[in-house]
Amino acid sequence: MKLLTEGIILVISFFLLWLGLAQINWLQITNYTTYNKKIEKQIGNFYWDAYSTFNPEITTQKIVSTVDSITTKLCTANNINRSEIKLHIVQATEINAFALPDGHIVLNSALLKKVATSGELTGVIAHELAHYKKNHVTRKLINEIGIAAVLSMIDNGKHTQNVTSTLNTFISSAFSREMENEADQTAAIYMTNAKVNPNQLSNFLLSFEVDDNHNITQWISSHPSSIQRAANLSKHSLNTQYTPIISQQTWSTFKSNLQQK
Amino acid sequence: MIRITQFHYKPHDSECEKASNSYLMSLIALIAGMPLPIINLIATLIFFLANRKATGYVRWHCTQALLSQFSLLFINSYGFWWTMSIIFSTQTVSNNYIAYIITMLIANLAEFITTIYTTIKVRKGIHIQWWFYGRLTNILVQNQHDTKGVTL
């Protein structure tokens, strides 16, 4: 009996200590969130600088403002702080879009030329936004490169071969299936909240697998099966009250400006 | 936390040394084995198995040292896998997690201090019984008349 009593008291003491300590806001005391944000900002800026060195950013107002409108609408509808998101449109022949740490979202001009409707573009932006908000980007960085390695690269301040190869981690390799699925589902929610039909993202995925020249585009080839993803997305299309974020005229102007690039 | 009692016989000096070594096993493995929680248990288990046929005093303390490692194994393993899930999956650092790690460190520190104290005392032939583990060891270790020791 004494043995049992002593055992129970030991176990209860452990849990009481844990419970008591859990009442303290350790994240605030240690400034964990602030420190994390600071490191993420450093890393995000570092990699954006590295990428933009070889891929010039498009600053044409009519192109930037259109994409900005879509992004702002998505953020507003989903209570996301727009100022957190740093949107970049770059001149590149590769059809690709990706997210970097600290809210950098990069859209290649080739991808913007390829999307058929503003809804499809909304889907792509929503997908990358989801990767950022769900913390997939930082997690991938830690898993595949190691945070110490990244910080040492930043400290060196040089765009070495290591930087290029680690940059490819963001550009060319997909997240895990779990993360991609989560990003798709979250993107569908973001689109629905912004009153954009999430089917548009499905359409984009399905129409994009193999283009006319049988070249599998980078954005798709690095992701899991488009057909499966489209099927998973279709269940979100319940709300029929959809409104386009931008007018058809604005979209046409946007596309024609892009074609000139 | 600990009780100083008398063993049923006065142990010989060589027995005291062996008995205190069982606690040292977990300390050495602690330094070398962190953060893998199983190393401490394995080291203590190997020492226990090696001294299965030793005298009563040695067997008793080998058993107490081994039993104390089991609860730490669960505590440390849970903390280890929680940390792994934060690094490799979608879990994030939270106040609960930090509180658990601190609690785990306190438990390990308490065990560390108690082990060092017990090592020193047992080496001198003083019979130390830990709270709960001492009683459990009493049940598990049969007190046999031992020709090498003195039966009180």
Side-chain angles (χ1 to χ4, degrees), chain A residues 1-12:
Chain A
M1 198 58 194
K2 274 188 182 173
L3 175 70
L4 191 63
T5 310
E6 286 181 4
I8 289 168
I9 290 170
L10 262 183
V11 170
I12 289 172

Side-chain angles (χ1 to χ4, degrees), chain A residues 2-3 6-7 9-10 14 17-18 21-22 24-27 30 32 135-136 139 142-143 178 182, chain B residues 3 75 82 86-96 98-100 102-103 106 131-132 135-136 139:
Chain A
K2 274 188 182 173
L3 175 70
E6 286 181 4
I9 290 170
L10 262 183
F14 178 83
L17 179 62
W18 179 14
L21 288 170
I24 301 169
N25 192 346
W26 296 103
L27 294 177
T30 55
Y32 174 80
N135 212 27
H136 295 167
R139 196 161 300 282
I142 292 169
N143 289 355
E178 190 187 35
E182 189 179 31
Chain B
R3 283 186 294 263
I75 293 168
W82 195 344
I86 285 171
I87 293 171
F88 294 111
S89 78
T90 55
Q91 288 260 17
T92 54
V93 174
S94 62
N95 287 324
N96 263 351
I98 295 173
Y100 185 86
I102 293 171
T103 310
I106 290 171
W131 215 55
F132 175 72
R135 285 192 198 278
L136 187 58
I139 294 169

